[in-house]
């Protein structure tokens, strides 16, 4: 790896020198695109077109806030042409483009395009997926699922993304995705993040950015990539808000509700929203386990139902003060509380070799938990000159506590005489506290030759305290301490710095090269066991992007980077947690970070069709390991480092406009995975090719109706020691706008045919286990949303934190 780092540094310096040698006097044409209501138009095509010959000189795509900059070294008489699906094309008055010209086009207003459909006037559908050199942008605003869904739903429908039934986000067949909001990262455990995203109405989201291979500007944390949620933003003075009520029924009723208020007056922009979300689901789980004994095979057949209900309250408040046209100061406060109640019942039939008598185990686990979290972010942004030099800084603080209590009661008996059974109980008490402080600063410097230099610093300091208390009791006797109890204190400090340079090799080939360095100082202290585990390491994380514009309708984007994923804090605690008497989970204080080297080649045709080849190799990959004790006939699971995993993938995204009112986006992804590792006395080496398909149809219908249909299928796949059978599902949603779009009713059906069933097997060494699981995904959800506004119309603004340590709390 050291050799690779030295080679990268040499290449980096070479690219800097080459770009300076090729520098020319560059002209810059800038401006901002707004629609007829004064709202920014993101991702519009902006081009300089020659007056004579009508040829393309240079072009760009507008940013999230509608702003654009076109750089060129050419000379010609040109017009500025702006086009975007759903809008009429804008053409400016001609002007002379000369080297070194700095021209501000000011505000460019474009008008909505209207088309007829069966004598009903409707707005044409805007593109849902936009491909950019370093990311794929998914437009959420205005879709049916946005009206009736939450943020986690729409993330799960993005290219290459799959959200499993536990709310864990996977990208291109890999876990370890970092989630950001408005370019600032969230600090939540996987469970808290899932609950938070479920409580965020998708109607507040403008777009999602899916970044498969992030640049050096992003934290190196997160081997799979980054998903950045872009929220709607304010533009003009006034008051804007909405109130929503709704719920979901899937055998259990779960209400939702929320209110959002946004106020912009002069230099002040403030917003606040409060949401209550309930997540209710039951999980039917069947497990069949075979144990090989000297006398023969012993079979455990377990049938369980787990009922889960989470009640979440989330507040988000933000204030932004525009000091002047070049400086902004902002504050964001988040507070949340969550209560969850889980009840698990299971009955296990146990057969033993040499006898027809069946043993039985009846278990019931009653658990409840409570967590509180507060997060504060202070940020400052400044533009330092007219060329676009800017500096931004963030300071974040997070405090979280989570407490849980569970009582597992078990009754054992043989034959039909249940009254002769024995009984025991296991009481588990767990208290967890986390403090996270981070600070970062980023600096961007556009250079006169059209290239860009970017650099930044970041530090994070994490402290956690986890106290696990286990107690046991036989029959109705008193509880006695269990030796598996443990208190674990964890401290982690990470210091990082990065530099990135963007330039051009030629008119058609541009590049971006970056290098990030991170130093980690980690100390884990198992107070009960008297064990201290310390780790100190420094790593370099290079990244390279090359964009080749072969023609106006075809471009190839190459990128490569190196990433790290550090273990969740909880997994480092050497705890033992009993799921039932037969199954336990334990921590691993020796768990090491995983490192991933990622490569991707993306072919983009006509700015819409995407064909991507990718390869990833991960060292010390995290993987859940199953260990089976044949003598005690128990199963233990824990997370361990696999020696190496490999993933090769192909992804195709093909949008089709069937009619003016009917558009579809189709995706096919093929993954090749290989897992190699020594597990105990046995060596695992298995591979498989799997695939995932999704088709999404959006229809704009008369009388204010919109319809969306989604079908998805995931083929058979391997995951570590196990194999998972293929499964698929269908979802549908319809919205109706009332009262001149002030009132919207959305109805969504999920897993319409009850086909989202998970079947898995683990057949490795002496383990012979199969699973069947169905969560109550089949259901119906409705949402009624009322929007209100006073003053000029504008959009929602929000801000959150800056980095990702909280993703590892769980």
């Amino acid at each position: 790896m050291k050799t690779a780092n030295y080679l990268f540094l040499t290449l980096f310096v070479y690219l800097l020198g080459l770009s300076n040698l090729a520098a020319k006097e560059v002209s810059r044409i800038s401006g901002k695109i707004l629609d007829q209501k004064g709202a920014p138009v993101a991702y519009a095509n902006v081009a300089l077109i020659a007056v004579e010959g009508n040829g393309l000189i240079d072009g760009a795509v507008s940013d999230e806030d509608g702003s654009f900059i076109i750089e060129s070294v050419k000379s010609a008489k040109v017009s500025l042409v702006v086009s975007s699906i759903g809008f009429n094309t804008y053409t400016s008055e001609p002007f002379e483009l000369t080297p070194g010209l700095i021209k501000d086009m000011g505000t460019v207003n474009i008008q909505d395009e209207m088309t007829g459909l069966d004598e009903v006037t409707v707005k044409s559908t805007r593109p849902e997926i936009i491909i950019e050199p370093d990311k794929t942008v998914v437009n959420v605003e205005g879709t049916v699922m946005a009206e009736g869904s939450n943020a986690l739903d729409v993330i799960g429908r993005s290219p290459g993304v799959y959200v499993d039934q536990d709310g864990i986000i996977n990208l291109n067949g890999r876990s370890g995705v970092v989630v950001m909001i408005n370019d600032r990262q969230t600090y939540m455990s996987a469970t808290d993040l899932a609950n938070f995203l479920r409580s965020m109405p998708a109607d507040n989201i403008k777009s999602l950015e899916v970044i498969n291979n992030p640049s050096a500007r992003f934290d190196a944390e997160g081997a799979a990539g980054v998903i950045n949620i872009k929220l709607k933003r304010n533009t003009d003075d006034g008051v804007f808000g909405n109130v929503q009520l709704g719920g979901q029924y899937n055998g259990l009723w779960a209400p939702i509700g929320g209110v959002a208020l946004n106020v912009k007056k002069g230099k002040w922009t403030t917003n606040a929203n409060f949401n209550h979300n309930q997540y209710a689901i039951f999980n039917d789980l069947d497990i069949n386990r075979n144990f090989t004994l000297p006398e023969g095979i012993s079979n455990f057949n377990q049938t369980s139902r787990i009922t889960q209900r989470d009640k979440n309250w989330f507040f988000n408040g933000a204030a932004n003060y525009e000091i002047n046209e070049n400086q902004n100061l902002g504050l964001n406060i988040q507070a949340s509380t969550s209560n969850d109640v889980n009840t698990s019942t299971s009955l296990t039939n146990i057969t033993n070799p040499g006898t027809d008598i069946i043993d039985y185990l009846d278990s019931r686990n009653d658990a409840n938990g409570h967590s509180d979290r507060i997060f504060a972010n202070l940020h400052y942004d400044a533009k330092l000159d007219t060329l676009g030099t800017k500096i931004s800084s963030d300071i974040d603080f997070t405090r979280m506590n989570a407490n849980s209590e569970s009582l597992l009661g078990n009754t054992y008996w043989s034959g039909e005489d249940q009254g002769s059974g024995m009984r025991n109980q296991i009481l588990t008490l767990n208290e967890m506290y986390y403090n996270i402080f981070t600070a970062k600063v980023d600096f961007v410097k556009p250079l006169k030759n059209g290239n860009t230099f970017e650099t930044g610093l970041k530090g994070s300091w994490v402290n956690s305290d986890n106290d696990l208390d286990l107690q046991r009791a036989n029959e109705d006797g008193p509880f006695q301490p269990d030796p598996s109890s443990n208190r674990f204190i964890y401290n982690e400090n990470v210091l990082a710095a990065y530099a990135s340079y963007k330039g051009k090799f030629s008119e058609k080939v541009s590049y971006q090269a970056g290098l990030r360095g991170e130093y980690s100082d980690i100390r884990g202290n198992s107070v009960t066991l008297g064990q201290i585990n310390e780790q100190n390491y420094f790593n370099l994380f290079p990244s390279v992007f090359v964009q080749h514009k072969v023609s106006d309708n075809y471009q190839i984007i190459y990128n490569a980077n190196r990433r790290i994923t550090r273990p969740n804090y909880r997994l480092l605690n050497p705890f033992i947690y009993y799921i039932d008497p037969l199954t336990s989970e334990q921590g691993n204080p020796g768990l090491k970070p995983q490192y991933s080297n990622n490569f991707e080649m993306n072919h983009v045709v006509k700015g819409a069709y995407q064909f991507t080849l990718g390869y990833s190799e991960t060292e010390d990959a995290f993987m859940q390991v199953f260990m089976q004790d044949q003598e005690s006939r128990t199963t233990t699971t824990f997370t361990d480092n696999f020696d190496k995993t490999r993933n090769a993938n192909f992804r195709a995204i093909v949008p089709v406009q069937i009619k003016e009112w009917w558009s579809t986006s189709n995706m096919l992804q093929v993954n090749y995975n290989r897992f190699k590792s020594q597990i105990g006395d046995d060596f695992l080496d298995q591979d498989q090719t799997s695939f995932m398909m999704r088709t999404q149809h959006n229809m704009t219908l008369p009388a204010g109706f919109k319809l969306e249909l989604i079908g998805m299928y995931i083929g058979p796949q391997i995951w570590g020691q196990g194999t998972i059978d293929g499964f698929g599902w269908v979802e549908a949603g319809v919205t109706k706008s009332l009262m001149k779009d002030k009132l919207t009713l959305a109805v969504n059906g999920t897993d319409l045919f009850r086909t989202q069933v998970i079947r898995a097997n683990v057949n490795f060494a002496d383990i012979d286990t199969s699973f069947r699981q169905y969560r109550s995904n089949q259901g119906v959800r409705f949402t009624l949303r009322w929007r209100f506004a006073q003053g000029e119309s504008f959009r929602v603004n929000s801000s959150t934190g800056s980095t990702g340590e909280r993703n590892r709390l769980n």
Side-chain angles (χ1 to χ4, degrees), residues 530-649:
Q531 296 179 355
I532 295 179
N533 189 344
E534 294 184 338
Q535 299 181 48
N536 298 277
Y537 49 87
F538 176 76
N539 297 111
L540 292 176
F541 301 95
S543 62
V544 177
F545 297 79
V546 177
Q547 180 183 9
H548 181 196
K549 293 184 178 180
V550 181
S551 68
D552 292 343
N553 292 321
Y554 177 45
Q555 62 176 314
I556 307 174
I557 303 164
Y558 308 87
N559 59 66
N561 68 7
R562 180 171 172 82
R563 306 280 288 169
I564 184 175
T565 303
R566 298 177 179 87
N568 292 338
Y569 312 133
R570 177 176 172 272
L571 295 178
L572 296 168
N573 184 356
F575 67 91
I576 297 180
Y577 179 80
Y578 289 94
I579 301 170
D580 58 47
L582 307 173
T583 312
S584 62
E585 178 188 4
Q586 68 181 41
N588 181 3
L591 194 61
K592 297 179 291 186
Q594 70 176 24
Y595 296 90
S596 179
N597 298 309
N598 310 296
F599 308 89
E600 190 176 84
M601 180 173 61
N602 190 9
H603 299 258
V604 183
V605 181
K606 294 185 177 180
Y609 305 96
Q610 179 173 288
F611 305 94
T612 306
L613 289 171
Y615 177 78
S616 174
E617 188 170 283
T618 303
E619 308 159 14
D620 295 323
F622 301 150
M623 197 62 59
Q624 189 177 43
V625 175
F626 294 82
M627 299 295 289
Q628 198 162 275
D629 189 314
Q630 301 296 100
E631 184 176 350
S632 64
R633 293 180 290 179
T634 58
T635 301
T636 301
T637 65
F638 60 94
T639 301
D640 203 359
N641 294 108
F642 273 30
D643 297 336
K644 187 166 290 187
T645 65
R646 294 182 174 90
N647 171 272
N649 62 81

Side-chain angles (χ1 to χ4, degrees), residues 452-520:
T452 303
F453 175 74
E454 186 174 357
T455 187
L457 299 171
K458 173 244 177 182
S460 69
W461 296 264
V462 178
N463 173 261
S464 72
D465 192 339
N466 188 341
D467 193 1
L468 179 68
D469 181 14
L470 285 175
Q471 302 178 37
R472 291 176 177 267
N474 292 320
E475 298 297 339
D476 295 323
F479 282 96
Q480 301 294 330
D482 187 280
S484 299
S485 298
N486 185 56
R487 183 184 178 194
F488 183 72
I489 299 175
Y490 179 83
N491 294 282
E492 174 188 283
N493 302 329
V494 178
L495 302 177
Y498 77 92
S500 177
Y501 194 88
K502 184 186 296 185
K504 289 185 178 182
F505 288 122
S506 66
E507 289 290 330
K508 292 188 174 182
V509 181
S510 59
Y511 68 88
Q512 179 177 334
L515 183 65
R516 187 180 187 92
E518 294 191 354
Y519 172 76
S520 302

Side-chain angles (χ1 to χ4, degrees), residues 9 21 65 121 124 132 158 450 491 493 576 579 589 619 671 747:
L9 286 172
L21 288 174
D65 61 356
T121 301
S124 62
E132 297 187 10
S158 302
N491 294 282
N493 302 329
I576 297 180
I579 301 170
E619 308 159 14
N671 288 297
V747 179

Side-chain angles (χ1 to χ4, degrees), residues 50-97:
V51 174
E52 296 183 4
N54 202 35
L56 174 68
I57 301 299
D58 270 304
V61 175
S62 62
D63 292 336
E64 179 76 21
D65 61 356
S67 62
F68 66 89
I69 297 176
I70 301 177
E71 298 176 339
S72 180
V73 295
K74 300 177 182 178
S75 298
K77 189 173 184 178
V78 299
S79 292
L80 182 78
V81 177
V82 179
S83 63
S84 181
I85 297 178
F87 295 97
N88 292 322
T89 299
Y90 167 89
T91 303
S92 74
E93 294 293 327
F95 61 92
E96 291 291 338
L97 178 67

Side-chain angles (χ1 to χ4, degrees), residues 299-327:
N299 175 259
F300 285 45
N301 194 310
Q302 180 178 349
T303 302
S304 304
R305 167 164 281 202
I306 305 167
T307 303
Q308 176 184 354
R309 182 178 292 276
D310 296 338
K311 298 181 180 180
N312 308 294
W313 292 264
F314 177 80
F315 169 80
N316 180 64
N320 187 81
Y321 179 70
E322 186 179 334
I323 301 172
N324 53 47
E325 62 180 7
N326 294 321
Q327 298 183 74

